[in-house]
Amino acid sequence: MTALQRRVGIPGAIMIGLGSMVGAGLFFVWVPASQLAGPWLWAALLLAATVATLNAMSTAQLAMRHPVSGGAYAYGRAEVSPAVGFAAGWMFLTGKTASAGAIALIAARHVWPEGAPWLAAALIVGLALVNMAGIRSTVRVTSAIVSVVLLLVTAALVWSALGLPTASDAGIGTLAPVEANRVDGALSGPLGILPAAGLLFFAFAGYARMATLGEEVRDPVRTLPRAIGTGLAIVLVLYGLVAWATTARLGDALASSATPVADLVGAGWLHVALLAAAALASVGSLTGILAGLSRTGLAMARNRDLPGPLSTIWAVTKAPAVAEATTAAVAAAAVLLLPVGQLVAFSSTCVLTYYAVAHLSAMRGAGRPAAASADPDARPVPWWLPRWVPVVGIALCAVLVLTLPWQGVVAAAAWLGLGLAVRAVARR
């Protein structure tokens, strides 16, 4: 079995995480979340941030103990059972494929609204080719994108703090109802805090990408917890500032804004640059998601939970080329078939289930020696995670799942049942 190579340090791992979190969610989730939570949007953001922080703590602890590809798939197999690990991997692959489709559509909408689905599919294919060139190419592209996007979003926040005109003040006509952003079938008003938090969680989940690349970071016991903690801290601050700016400056117009962050500024070059930044940020997050998907697919194929060819590593670039191509093809098909709002709801359901498995793994792993690892670099590490973290974390994941739009929850549950049934038949 050909192994991946450890080529990523702390800065590169942080950039991959930031590229996944400072992405499409930053420019999109405020609209459907504000439709659900209304003036309680800040409470929904706080709840989503709490869930994300607890998830990150369990993920960081488990990543130290199991520094291999696959994330919660590998943790579930080692700490609970192969079937539970499969459930995590299956839901991650499904949810993040839906995320990839949603992100590509959001990027394409900012560039070419009329042909967004086709442009989104082409974008997915192009970024999969970048990832096939190796993990260093992924880090370089993501780092460049994150730097530009953070600079432009900071400029928009400063603009808002100075009280300068918004898009509606300038009369440039970007504020209009966007039906494709709506998510039906959920609670609203104060009770809408819960489903809104589930949608906002879509934007925070990028720290998992660092864990899925555990086989490619140098000194993972040191690198992964630092990268996960630093990346999430930066994003929590950034999202809090953007939430303040969009609610304070756009007010009731937020719920019908096509491009909420760009609409913080008036007509001019900065408005145009922010539209481009939304597309660029989506590209950065999509690059990280596709990389995480391929590594999880690789790990599952190694254990025969997915077809064996997906474990193929291209000798030239040391990248899982077959898994990259396969996940890109599925994601490209998704953008041509499903609306972005339903993709986000379905993705949040799947990814919250994935993190619930991570918490379950942390609950089982607390206070006992590390399970055997196939990674030759793995070594015993101290268990610093408080016992209450995974307990509260799994409870909050369940609450958010149950309050998301029922269509996405039912579809995700049916898909998980199908995956487990197919696995059971294949094992026999």
Side-chain angles (χ1 to χ4, degrees):
M1 178 178 66
T2 305
L4 299 171
Q5 293 187 349
R6 298 193 182 278
R7 296 176 169 177
V8 182
I10 293 177
I14 291 173
M15 281 299 180
I16 288 176
L18 288 178
S20 299
M21 292 183 280
V22 183
L26 178 66
F27 295 88
F28 169 77
V29 293
W30 312 108
V31 178
S34 66
Q35 291 169 354
L36 293 170
W40 297 93
L41 180 63
W42 62 271
L45 177 64
L46 181 61
L47 178 56
T50 300
V51 176
T53 301
L54 295 175
N55 292 353
M57 291 175 69
S58 288
T59 299
Q61 175 69 86
L62 291 164
M64 292 173 66
R65 176 172 282 194
H66 305 284
V68 296
S69 293
Y73 165 72
Y75 313 151
R77 282 184 60 88
E79 301 289 356
V80 187
S81 72
V84 170
F86 172 84
W90 183 254
M91 296 303 271
F92 179 82
L93 288 176
T94 304
K96 284 304 172 182
T97 299
S99 291
I103 289 167
L105 280 171
I106 293 166
R109 178 187 294 169
H110 282 78
V111 177
W112 185 27
E114 298 80 8
W118 294 102
L119 178 59
L123 183 61
I124 289 171
V125 173
L127 292 176
L129 293 174
V130 170
N131 285 340
M132 288 182 194
I135 190 63
R136 286 177 177 169
S137 297
T138 302
V139 171
R140 291 189 190 105
V141 170
T142 303
S143 298
I145 290 172
V146 167
S147 299
V148 173
V149 171
L150 287 178
L151 179 63
L152 290 171
V153 172
T154 299
L157 292 172
V158 172
W159 181 289
S160 298
L162 295 175
L164 298 175
T166 65
S168 57
D169 296 333
I172 58 177
T174 60
L175 297 176
V178 183
E179 293 300 325
N181 285 352
R182 298 189 181 277
V183 180
D184 298 321
L187 302 171
S188 60
L191 292 178
I193 291 172
L194 295 175
L199 294 179
L200 287 167
F201 179 79
F202 167 82
F204 283 116
Y207 48 83
R209 230 68 65 242
M210 293 175 268
T212 58
L213 302 177
E215 196 173 322
E216 293 167 275
V217 297
R218 296 189 295 269
D219 191 8
V221 171
R222 176 176 177 269
T223 297
L224 289 174
R226 286 168 172 76
I228 291 171
T230 302
L232 182 59
I234 293 171
V235 169
L236 288 176
V237 173
L238 178 65
Y239 270 74
L241 292 173
V242 173
W244 161 79
T246 52
T247 53
R249 299 289 290 143
L250 299 182
D252 294 338
L254 173 61
S256 59
S257 172
T259 54
V261 177
D263 289 338
L264 289 173
V265 304
W269 68 268
L270 183 55
H271 183 87
V272 175
L274 283 165
L275 291 175
L280 193 61
S282 300
V283 169
S285 60
L286 185 55
T287 304
I289 284 176
L290 292 174
L293 282 169
S294 63
R295 272 63 179 184
T296 302
L298 164 74
M300 295 182 72
R302 283 174 172 173
N303 292 310
R304 299 189 179 184
D305 281 330
L306 288 178
L310 292 175
S311 65
T312 302
I313 296 176
W314 192 6
V316 176
T317 63
K318 302 301 181 183
V322 176
E324 282 281 4
T326 303
T327 53
V330 175
V335 305
L336 299 175
L337 299 174
L338 298 172
V340 64
Q342 293 303 326
L343 282 174
V344 171
F346 180 71
S347 171
S348 293
T349 303
C350 292
V351 175
L352 284 164
T353 304
Y354 168 88
Y355 282 115
V357 171
H359 286 305
L360 179 61
S361 301
M363 291 167 63
R364 292 290 299 273
R368 64 185 177 87
S373 174
D375 190 299
D377 295 329
R379 63 180 184 272
V381 296
W383 191 273
W384 49 262
L385 185 72
R387 289 180 179 272
W388 62 265
V389 169
V391 175
V392 176
I394 198 170
L396 289 179
C397 285
V399 168
L400 292 189
V401 165
L402 293 176
T403 55
L404 281 167
W406 67 267
Q407 298 95 329
V409 176
V410 171
W415 184 248
L416 175 58
L418 176 63
L420 290 172
V422 170
R423 179 183 184 275
V425 172
R427 289 288 174 177
R428 290 177 184 172

